[in-house]
Amino acid sequence: MAEFTFSPLLGIAGAAVLGGAIGLQRQAAQKAAGFRTHLIVATAAAAFTAMGAHLQDTRIPSYIVVGIGFLGAGAIIRQGSTAHGLTTAASIWMSAAVGLLMGYANAFGLIAALVATLITLAALSISDDALMRFFHMQRKAMLNVTCDLGQNSHDAVVAILRAENIAFEGEVISLVADNAANSVQINYRIELKIGRELTAVVERI
């Protein structure tokens, strides 16, 4: 039985649709790389793959993978010790993978591209809180408190955290002098149980 294939032009168009779907989710989340970026990445990957298949050049897909690595790295922004844009870079990478699959214009590529797109959209759409509840994991957070210099202030914060049954670690990170008195900033690493909100704890403090 002959393998099901379709026109490479349809593969390129399909890659644009699937890549655009991923991009719409990123744009709805107000990320830097949105609909147009993901659509173009997927379409370009499909076009290069189709050209490679036509020329029987297996090196072209590997060049696409390397090139997308540089493009994804450009979406990552480092602020201090925290990196932002990792998920967007990963979604760009996935759009390229979808384009590669669609560029071969065969049944396996079509099915794999559809499955990959659905998984990606599901992963991008679910919230962090929903993930924590699904896997029954506690959410870690950083709580920075500026209070009067002295043990009493620290003890008061600790009493609130213990009353709320919140696991924590705290350390003094800096001293801040003002006109009236000295104050201290304490950085607490806390763990919130499923369903607990940090806002309520902050209001009590």
Side-chain angles (χ1 to χ4, degrees), residues 20 27 30 32 37 41 45 59 70 77 103 128 143 151 155 179 197 201:
Q27 188 156 331
Q30 298 182 340
T37 301
V41 166
R59 297 172 299 174
F70 286 103
I77 301 174
D128 291 342
L143 178 63
Q151 189 65 29
D155 289 344
N179 294 330
E197 294 294 336
V201 180

Side-chain angles (χ1 to χ4, degrees), residues 22-38 75 77 83-92 124-125 128:
I22 297 174
L24 277 176
Q25 196 287 330
R26 292 284 82 194
Q27 188 156 331
Q30 298 182 340
K31 302 301 180 180
F35 173 75
R36 286 185 291 269
T37 301
H38 288 76
I77 301 174
H84 299 274
L86 291 171
T87 303
T88 299
S91 66
I92 292 174
L124 292 175
S125 299
D128 291 342

